[in-house]
Amino acid sequence: MPDPVETTTPDGVDYGWVMQVTFVLTILIGAPIVALLSTSAELPTWGSRAEFAIRVGAVIWLFVSISVFLYAKRAQR
């Protein structure tokens, strides 16, 4: 059997895993939060709805990404 062409031994945090988990958790956590918060905001047009979702989603994404990175960093030890 031939030897593998490439092998990796990543040192440090696996950023691919962090990005994938951040993506999934942002959707799972963020969608209900955006929907819940949108009930109390006046959003008359589709543009205002999209802007609201982007603004709230960005804050949620930032919180989730930092949390996942810190978890990965701590679990690495």
Side-chain angles (χ1 to χ4, degrees):
M1 175 172 282
D3 290 331
V5 176
E6 269 185 53
T7 59
T8 62
T9 54
D11 293 328
V13 175
D14 182 1
Y15 292 105
W17 181 86
V18 170
M19 290 189 304
Q20 291 173 355
V21 172
T22 297
F23 176 76
V24 171
L25 287 179
T26 300
I27 292 172
L28 291 176
I29 295 170
I33 292 173
V34 169
L36 183 65
L37 292 176
S38 69
T39 59
S40 63
E42 187 171 332
L43 305 167
T45 66
W46 283 104
S48 63
R49 293 174 190 162
E51 184 179 338
F52 177 82
I54 291 168
R55 288 178 188 232
V56 174
V59 173
I60 293 168
W61 175 83
L62 185 63
F63 175 74
V64 169
S65 64
I66 291 171
S67 300
V68 170
F69 176 78
L70 292 176
Y71 172 79
K73 189 84 168 165
R74 186 171 359 131
Q76 170 192 356
R77 291 190 229 166

